[in-house]
Amino acid sequence: DALELADGETISAASMASYFNAQFDKLTNANVVATAQTRLLSDEIDATKSLTINGVTIGHSATAKLNEIIQSINAVSGQTGVRAEWNTESGLALTNTIGNEGANIVVGGDPVTALGIVPGTYSGTYTIGAAGEEVLSNPFASDTDALNGGAGFALTLTRADNTAATVNIAGGDDTVSGIVAAINDTSSGISGINATLVSDADGFRISLHDQTGVGNDFTISTDISAYNLDANGDPDADLGFNDLNNRNTGLNKPTEISLTLSGTGSPSDLGRLGFATGVIFDGPVKDDFAIFMTGSGSATATLRADPAAKSEGSSYPADTFEVNFQSDSVYTITDSATDTVVATRTYAPGDAIEYQGIRVEFNDIPKQGDSFAIEPNAEGMGNNENMLRLINLGKEPIISGQTFSAAYRDLVAGTGSRAHLAELSRDAMEVVRDQAQENREAAVGVNLDEEAADLIRFQQAYQAAAQVIQISQRMFDTLIQAS
């Protein structure tokens, strides 16, 4: 539906959020929600000044302190729909009360009010955001067919923290539409849950969505007795809400939303509604822009460029363009392909002209009427295309997924590593060799010092034995002579 404002009607963040939420309901899209808030900051108060909020006079003394000003504002919140809270040691913040979120705050009083701000209507902000996926029921062939034979039943929603809320479906209202209405009932329904009737190729479904920010981690149970009986005569008591297949169906997810201007609308109207309007180039664009305006009146254009995520090399050859000197100090750049003047610039003798990555310098000073055509070197002579190709070739991963420099670096590093490992292996084998030689010598070798000591010992033993024999011989001879 179109958004229309009557003459003199003031728009607010609350009215915008209400409009969009109504459209989302008509689109049966429960997962997109518009919220609004108004927050007005005051950095310094002056109690000697007067103050009205939304037409209600705020009574305070000329010597009132910040806390007393806040108390006075909150004392009439029921009339103004606005409450105050501390913001800094010397300031406060005005916000909407519950149920008035996003409503404009009209401040009045002295030319500079007690809040230190001028009188006027202060609007808030509204936000359109995705609120998460819904919890879906089984598909139903009709939204008006009785599910429990016309009898009433109770439906209970149990959250992850085991808190539960129950809604009673009256007899005769045991239909898909009746369940949706009962859950959404402001007095007897389930608070914080929005139920929506959605349709798909299989029929109608009930979509449940949490609006409290807690999340959709809940289960559904009922005491229904006649719905979708199985072979044992047991009903499908959760209506399919707890079925993971239904939860993963993904119906009613946030989709792209478009706003269409009527024949009398203009982009500036979207600006008044808080939308940024403009021409957006999604991706790299040329260096120079030509902006053409039609119609009458004045307009302001703002250009903004975000840095590229990755530096891209210049594309050669550049597009053909012409430089035409309109005077000795002014020249234009014309795109030859479209015959469009894309830039008008001033010129001072000695300046260089840069466009599309091309730099043009003059040996002589150009004059009015001079024209220069800058074109690619079609003959391929005397340019640096081959050098650029070699540079680009050095950046290509053509050696096992590596560039030339990376492959050479790995080759040098690998050779050094292998040489170092060879040296370590050699040193280790020399140690093994030395140990083997020592073990061999210990097993079969002769120690000359030990052998010499043994010979001396054996010699001394022999000499001692000879002395014993000699003395024995002498004793034997003496005994014979004596006899």
Side-chain angles (χ1 to χ4, degrees):
D1 295 339
L3 174 63
E4 298 179 352
L5 294 177
D7 292 340
E9 183 178 357
T10 302
I11 199 168
S12 66
S15 61
M16 290 302 303
S18 176
Y19 165 76
F20 281 110
N21 285 329
Q23 301 308 304
F24 299 151
D25 289 341
K26 290 184 178 181
L27 295 172
T28 65
N29 195 333
N31 293 336
V32 180
V33 62
T35 58
Q37 67 170 350
T38 302
R39 183 176 177 84
L40 179 59
L41 301 180
S42 168
D43 296 327
E44 196 77 30
I45 66 167
D46 184 357
T48 63
K49 305 294 184 180
S50 62
L51 175 65
T52 65
I53 298 178
N54 290 341
V56 178
T57 300
I58 307 300
H60 61 277
S61 66
T63 59
K65 297 180 180 179
L66 178 60
N67 64 314
E68 295 172 334
I69 295 290
I70 293 176
Q71 292 174 0
S72 298
I73 294 174
N74 291 338
V76 292
S77 290
Q79 303 175 50
T80 63
V82 175
R83 67 183 305 274
E85 59 187 25
W86 286 85
N87 183 43
T88 62
E89 292 183 358
S90 60
L92 57 81
L94 298 182
T95 59
N96 305 117
T97 58
I98 297 176
N100 297 299
E101 294 87 348
N104 292 339
I105 298 178
V106 181
V107 176
D110 289 329
V112 177
T113 67
L115 299 180
I117 59 178
V118 298
T121 300
Y122 293 87
S123 58
T125 60
Y126 65 94
T127 304
I128 299 175
E133 296 184 9
E134 70 283 354
V135 177
L136 293 170
S137 69
N138 287 333
F140 303 97
S142 170
D143 63 332
T144 57
D145 290 345
L147 302 180
N148 200 35
F153 62 93
L155 182 147
T156 301
L157 181 145
T158 305
R159 295 189 180 273
D161 59 0
N162 292 324
T163 59
T166 299
V167 61
N168 293 310
I169 314 299
D173 291 334
D174 58 327
T175 63
V176 175
S177 297
I179 295 174
V180 171
I183 294 174
N184 291 336
D185 190 278
T186 55
S187 59
S188 60
I190 299 179
S191 177
I193 295 294
N194 179 57
T196 307
L197 182 64
V198 297
S199 61
D200 62 5
D202 297 324
F204 296 90
R205 295 178 187 262
I206 301 173
S207 168
L208 300 182
H209 188 273
D210 173 77
Q211 294 183 313
T212 65
V214 175
N216 291 336
D217 188 10
F218 55 76
T219 59
I220 298 296
S221 60
T222 70
D223 59 0
I224 197 169
S225 59
Y227 169 67
N228 201 18
L229 302 179
D230 59 16
N232 297 323
D234 296 325
D236 190 353
D238 64 2
L239 304 181
F241 284 111
N242 303 335
D243 188 342
L244 292 180
N245 290 328
N246 290 333
R247 292 207 174 202
N248 295 334
T249 301
L251 293 176
N252 207 21
K253 287 185 178 180
T255 56
E256 182 175 337
I257 300 172
S258 62
L259 299 178
T260 304
L261 292 172
S262 66
T264 59
S266 66
S268 61
D269 293 331
L270 295 178
R272 296 187 183 96
L273 302 181
F275 290 93
T277 59
V279 179
I280 300 175
F281 297 91
D282 187 10
V285 295
K286 295 185 180 295
D287 297 336
D288 291 69
F289 295 89
I291 301 177
F292 300 93
M293 306 298 293
T294 60
S296 59
S298 61
T300 301
T302 301
L303 295 180
R304 187 191 72 183
D306 295 324
K310 180 180 178 182
S311 178
E312 299 287 345
S314 298
S315 177
Y316 295 98
D319 294 335
T320 301
F321 63 93
E322 295 181 358
V323 177
N324 301 304
F325 279 82
Q326 306 299 319
S327 67
D328 292 349
S329 60
V330 177
Y331 67 89
T332 62
I333 297 177
T334 303
D335 182 78
S336 300
T338 60
D339 195 26
T340 302
V341 176
V342 296
T344 300
R345 302 173 181 172
T346 59
Y347 178 79
D351 287 352
I353 296 176
E354 294 186 359
Y355 178 70
Q356 291 188 348
I358 300 297
R359 181 182 178 90
V360 181
E361 296 181 352
F362 302 99
N363 294 329
D364 297 326
I365 300 176
K367 298 295 183 181
Q368 179 178 357
D370 288 348
S371 179
F372 303 89
I374 290 81
E375 301 175 344
N377 189 351
E379 301 297 330
M381 298 292 291
N383 62 11
N384 62 346
E385 285 189 6
N386 289 335
M387 181 59 68
L388 291 174
R389 290 173 182 172
L390 288 175
I391 292 174
N392 290 330
L393 185 63
K395 300 177 182 178
E396 294 293 331
I398 60 178
I399 302 178
S400 301
Q402 293 180 308
T403 61
F404 281 113
S405 59
Y408 175 74
R409 194 165 50 246
D410 288 351
L411 178 62
V412 172
T415 301
S417 297
R418 287 189 292 271
H420 183 62
L421 289 174
E423 292 177 354
L424 293 177
S425 299
R426 181 200 62 191
D427 295 340
M429 294 307 296
E430 288 180 351
V431 172
V432 173
R433 182 200 64 187
D434 293 342
Q435 290 178 345
Q437 288 179 346
E438 291 176 0
N439 292 336
R440 178 180 177 278
E441 294 296 334
V444 301
V446 176
N447 191 319
L448 296 179
D449 294 336
E450 291 181 358
E451 294 299 328
D454 289 341
L455 286 174
I456 294 172
R457 186 173 68 253
F458 293 152
Q459 181 183 11
Q460 290 176 348
Y462 178 78
Q463 291 176 349
Q467 289 289 338
V468 172
I469 294 174
Q470 186 179 6
I471 293 174
S472 299
Q473 183 65 38
R474 289 178 182 176
M475 290 178 63
F476 182 73
D477 291 343
T478 301
L479 290 174
I480 292 177
Q481 292 177 1
S483 59

